[in-house]
Amino acid sequence: MTKVSILGATGYAGAELVKLILQHPNATLTHITSESHTGQALADVYPHMRGITDLTLESMDNLEAIAKDSDFIFIALPHGHAMAVGKALADTQVRIIDLGADYRFSDTKVYEAWYHVPHTHPDAASVYGLAELNREAIKSAKIIGNAGCYTTASILALAPLVKNHLIQTNTIIIDAKSGTSGAGRSAKLDTHYPEFYDAFKAYGVATHRHTPEIEAALGKLNGSPIMLNFTPHLVPMSRGILATAYANLNEGVTPNAVSQAFEKAYATEPFVRLLGRNAYPNTKYVRGSNFIDIAWHIDERTGRVIVLSAIDNLVKGAAGQAVQNFNIACGYEETTGLKLVPMYP
């Protein structure tokens, strides 16, 4: 059994991760932390955990002791915290999977420009944790920077087109919608029920921090830098992301070439479900699962391809993807603990 600890177990992604690790046949959960609920039983903070775990929440002040009792530490904390943990544990054998943004960028200057805080662990040899793209590097990584939720939906939607140079990359526009759990568990005016119910709005236009993450991953596939537009929206539901990506097709690219690119890229991927051309992914059909559903449409009138993708932001977009990376890093079957049938209705 691989010993696992979770820092930040009372956020939505952290609680989802607890659930997945508790049912993982090859992992044992040794420590969970929360600075706001230290000393409380997790089941008192999250009543749905009653009868499932009797673990008590600790403080990160005990990091050294936690590390000695862990093979892997998952960090489900806001940006700015994981780099301190990674630096403190740099000389240990503990491997880290960060669900935040601290280790997603190979160029820490990009992180500093978009997150407006100094990166205190710039020499970390971290790997970007999007399994479908970086599987080999993840296997031996000491620090894995789990991909973000919007970015997972967006990058996987566009990766086959960019990699095969089927689109004009300077025409990419991504329009994405997320449920409110993506904003975290802390009380905020924008996610206060009377404010978000029966409402639909954009936010972070031209400034959202997932933009450079998407650009970096797609730029690597493209072989040259990519600049794109990304606009997120908030919708009145708890879980789910639907991303719609637009781009102009290169001259001579046929609908069949687009279909072949997707089929070749994802034919053996266990969590990518290709719905095919002219289909419509729906967040309801991936809810509670680690699947991403992808479909594409060709607008022959404008010469554009339109790609749609749907994920559960807390599973494939966060905790599920972290466990997928954990399985790869440990050499376990990639689907271990993740054979989750979507919740329906």
Side-chain angles (χ1 to χ4, degrees), residues 94-179:
V94 179
R95 300 172 75 181
I96 290 170
I97 298 178
D98 177 26
L99 277 70
D102 290 7
Y103 291 110
R104 291 176 184 164
F105 297 93
S106 58
D107 184 353
T108 55
K109 291 181 180 178
V110 175
Y111 171 90
E112 293 176 340
W114 285 80
Y115 286 83
H116 309 297
V117 294
H119 201 292
T120 59
H121 195 196
D123 57 342
S126 60
V127 168
Y128 187 56
L130 187 52
E132 287 77 10
L133 300 187
N134 287 337
R135 189 171 280 111
E136 289 304 311
I138 289 167
K139 289 179 179 179
S140 58
K142 177 175 172 58
I143 300 177
I144 299 165
N146 213 55
C149 52
Y150 278 127
T151 55
T152 296
S154 302
I155 293 166
L156 294 181
L158 289 165
L161 304 179
V162 170
K163 183 177 180 180
N164 291 282
H165 303 287
L166 301 182
I167 58 175
Q168 298 172 28
T169 56
N170 63 344
T171 67
I172 296 173
I173 296 172
I174 302 168
D175 183 317
K177 291 89 175 173
S178 176

Side-chain angles (χ1 to χ4, degrees), residues 28-336:
T28 182
L29 189 56
T30 57
H31 299 275
I32 55 175
T33 79
S34 171
E35 300 311 302
S36 56
H37 298 283
T38 301
Q40 290 182 257
L42 181 65
D44 289 339
V45 180
Y46 279 110
H48 71 289
M49 290 290 185
R50 290 172 183 160
I52 297 172
T53 179
D54 58 1
L55 282 171
T56 297
L57 294 154
E58 306 172 42
S59 171
M60 278 177 54
D61 291 343
N62 301 321
L63 182 61
E64 185 176 344
I66 292 170
K68 287 180 179 178
D69 204 21
S70 307
D71 299 308
F72 271 81
I73 289 180
F74 290 83
I75 307 175
L77 297 168
H79 74 272
H81 294 278
M83 64 181 98
V85 176
K87 192 171 184 179
L89 301 181
D91 295 328
T92 72
Q93 296 300 309
V94 179
R95 300 172 75 181
I96 290 170
I97 298 178
D98 177 26
L99 277 70
D102 290 7
Y103 291 110
R104 291 176 184 164
F105 297 93
S106 58
D107 184 353
T108 55
K109 291 181 180 178
V110 175
Y111 171 90
E112 293 176 340
W114 285 80
Y115 286 83
H116 309 297
V117 294
H119 201 292
T120 59
H121 195 196
D123 57 342
S126 60
V127 168
Y128 187 56
L130 187 52
E132 287 77 10
L133 300 187
N134 287 337
R135 189 171 280 111
E136 289 304 311
I138 289 167
K139 289 179 179 179
S140 58
K142 177 175 172 58
I143 300 177
I144 299 165
N146 213 55
C149 52
Y150 278 127
T151 55
T152 296
S154 302
I155 293 166
L156 294 181
L158 289 165
L161 304 179
V162 170
K163 183 177 180 180
N164 291 282
H165 303 287
L166 301 182
I167 58 175
Q168 298 172 28
T169 56
N170 63 344
T171 67
I172 296 173
I173 296 172
I174 302 168
D175 183 317
K177 291 89 175 173
S178 176
T180 57
S181 60
R185 195 176 187 223
S186 299
K188 303 178 184 71
L189 180 61
D190 285 353
T191 53
H192 182 46
Y193 184 79
E195 298 290 333
F196 83 84
Y197 175 73
D198 204 26
F200 177 30
K201 70 168 191 173
Y203 68 100
V205 176
T207 63
H208 197 277
R209 291 164 171 171
H210 280 181
T211 305
E213 188 181 336
I214 299 169
E215 291 177 342
L218 294 179
K220 185 177 180 180
L221 288 172
N222 188 51
S224 59
I226 285 178
M227 187 177 293
L228 52 79
N229 285 115
F230 170 71
T231 302
H233 299 74
L234 190 67
V235 296
M237 62 183 186
S238 61
R239 289 173 178 255
I241 285 177
L242 180 70
T244 306
Y246 305 82
N248 290 354
L249 290 167
N250 282 324
E251 188 72 28
V253 173
T254 65
N256 189 50
V258 171
S259 297
Q260 287 180 346
F262 278 103
E263 290 160 4
K264 181 179 179 181
Y266 298 133
T268 61
E269 290 296 340
F271 296 114
V272 180
R273 301 193 302 192
L274 294 180
L275 307 190
R277 186 180 172 194
N278 297 332
Y280 292 90
N282 187 322
T283 58
K284 183 176 284 291
Y285 304 144
V286 294
R287 193 169 187 265
S289 80
N290 201 52
F291 290 119
I292 176 170
D293 285 357
I294 300 176
W296 53 95
H297 298 244
I298 307 295
D299 185 344
E300 296 188 12
R301 186 178 65 89
T302 61
R304 293 192 186 102
V305 59
I306 303 162
V307 187
L308 308 169
S309 67
I311 64 170
D312 183 317
N313 58 296
L314 293 179
V315 188
K316 182 57 175 169
Q321 180 145 251
V323 173
Q324 187 178 353
N325 287 328
F326 168 75
N327 287 337
I328 294 168
C330 291
Y332 300 141
E333 169 58 43
E334 197 164 324
T335 60
T336 304

